[in-house]
Amino acid sequence: MSKILVIIPTYNESQNIGNLINVIDSLDIDLDFLIIDDNSPDRTYDIVKKIMKENSRVNLIVQDKKAGLGTAYKKGFNWAIVNDYDKIIQIDADMSHDPNSIPQLIKESQHNDLIIGSRYIKGVNVVNWPMSRLLLSYFANIYVKILTWMPVNDSTSGYKCISIEVLKSIDLSKVQSQGYSFQIEINFLAYVKGFKIKEIPIIFHDRTVGESKMSKSIILEAIFMVPRLALKRFFRRW
């Protein structure tokens, strides 16, 4: 049996985190949770602490300040490595990723090293996004695919199952990306190191509670990160 850790970064997700943990728990899969909270003003971490009193499989790291998605995941990855987990599930806290896809992610991980829950592998499976946001995401992924040559249709997806061997092969201290570019960079490093990547279709639902963390800085970071990765591929520096 694989030892599996679900990593959930949070910032002002007090209205969602309890429901997400409960839904994942109801899947009756042997796994643990690590919530990494960026010192949320809405005190998301207090809700997690209450859950921990009832559920010994829930773990919590509270950061000193809002440090970003990439920083949270790197801290979570290192925690998973130290604690001898075999697989990592990445999932957003806002319920945009359907937790019921977790069993399929785990099943596919038996024969693949990185499984990506893809919005774009079978058409466009996005619900309730404004057209401007959808077009930005869709064409951004085409941009990534063309420049990096990665055979991935949804490089910005944050819903994944990752083998711990992938993470052990990466010098996480050198991964500086946040936001969508963090997802792209991890996928790219797995790809150039020869790990097996597979996408499975998911339906993405825009959040109904709470506020989006999207910002112009996150978009710009992704735009400029992709050519850097393409150059790394050309000069084989990773």
Side-chain angles (χ1 to χ4, degrees):
M1 293 290 293
S2 295
K3 191 177 177 184
I4 302 170
L5 180 69
V6 179
I7 300 180
I8 310 172
T10 56
Y11 184 75
N12 286 347
E13 295 291 355
S14 61
Q15 295 173 285
N16 291 310
I17 189 61
N19 186 32
L20 177 60
I21 291 173
N22 287 337
V23 173
I24 295 174
D25 238 3
S26 71
L27 298 174
D28 196 27
I29 300 173
D30 187 14
L31 47 74
D32 297 330
F33 297 84
L34 176 63
I35 288 77
I36 305 172
D37 187 76
D38 269 5
N39 202 11
S40 297
D42 73 353
R43 304 181 73 87
T44 302
Y45 50 83
D46 279 343
I47 293 172
V48 177
K49 288 176 182 177
K50 290 178 182 178
I51 295 171
M52 290 171 69
K53 293 178 181 179
E54 304 286 333
N55 190 336
S56 62
R57 294 183 293 111
V58 177
N59 304 276
L60 172 67
I61 295 173
V62 181
Q63 307 209 84
D64 294 334
K65 60 182 180 180
K66 187 177 181 181
L69 185 72
T71 299
Y73 269 126
K74 287 194 294 181
K75 187 164 288 187
F77 292 164
N78 283 317
W79 193 91
I81 291 169
V82 168
N83 287 279
D84 297 320
Y85 285 91
D86 302 303
K87 302 176 192 294
I88 307 302
I89 300 290
Q90 286 187 208
I91 189 168
D92 288 351
D94 60 8
M95 300 298 292
S96 58
H97 299 145
D98 182 358
N100 291 296
S101 294
I102 288 177
Q104 183 66 17
L105 288 169
I106 294 172
K107 179 181 177 181
E108 295 295 344
S109 73
Q110 295 175 15
H111 305 291
N112 300 278
D113 304 301
L114 170 59
I115 299 84
I116 300 171
S118 175
R119 297 162 290 186
Y120 306 124
I121 192 171
K122 288 188 176 180
V124 176
N125 294 316
V126 177
V127 178
N128 291 335
W129 256 6
M131 184 58 68
S132 59
R133 180 83 181 269
L134 176 58
L135 292 174
L136 174 64
S137 174
Y138 182 76
F139 286 107
N141 277 287
I142 292 175
Y143 169 70
V144 173
K145 192 172 184 180
I146 291 172
L147 264 66
T148 65
W149 299 3
M150 275 195 294
V152 174
N153 295 289
D154 194 356
S155 290
T156 59
S157 172
Y159 198 10
K160 303 176 186 175
C161 181
I162 310 174
S163 165
I164 203 71
E165 298 307 319
V166 174
L167 301 178
K168 286 180 178 179
S169 76
I170 296 171
D171 185 349
L172 293 171
S173 67
K174 292 183 179 179
V175 178
Q176 300 302 317
S177 302
Q178 301 291 335
Y180 291 138
S181 62
F182 177 81
Q183 311 294 1
I184 296 167
E185 190 168 359
I186 294 297
N187 294 343
F188 174 81
L189 292 170
Y191 171 60
V192 296
K193 290 174 180 292
F195 289 100
K196 291 185 66 176
I197 301 174
K198 181 171 183 178
E199 290 180 275
I200 65 168
I202 61 166
I203 297 176
F204 179 94
H205 293 264
D206 194 19
R207 67 161 66 235
T208 57
V209 177
E211 296 181 358
S212 171
K213 310 303 189 298
M214 173 64 76
S215 68
K216 288 183 179 179
S217 62
I218 288 174
I219 295 170
L220 289 172
E221 180 189 49
I223 289 172
F224 290 111
M225 171 57 67
V226 175
R228 287 175 54 193
L229 295 178
L231 287 173
K232 282 186 177 182
R233 177 185 175 84
F234 183 78
F235 291 108
R236 304 185 69 84
R237 295 180 64 182
W238 46 75

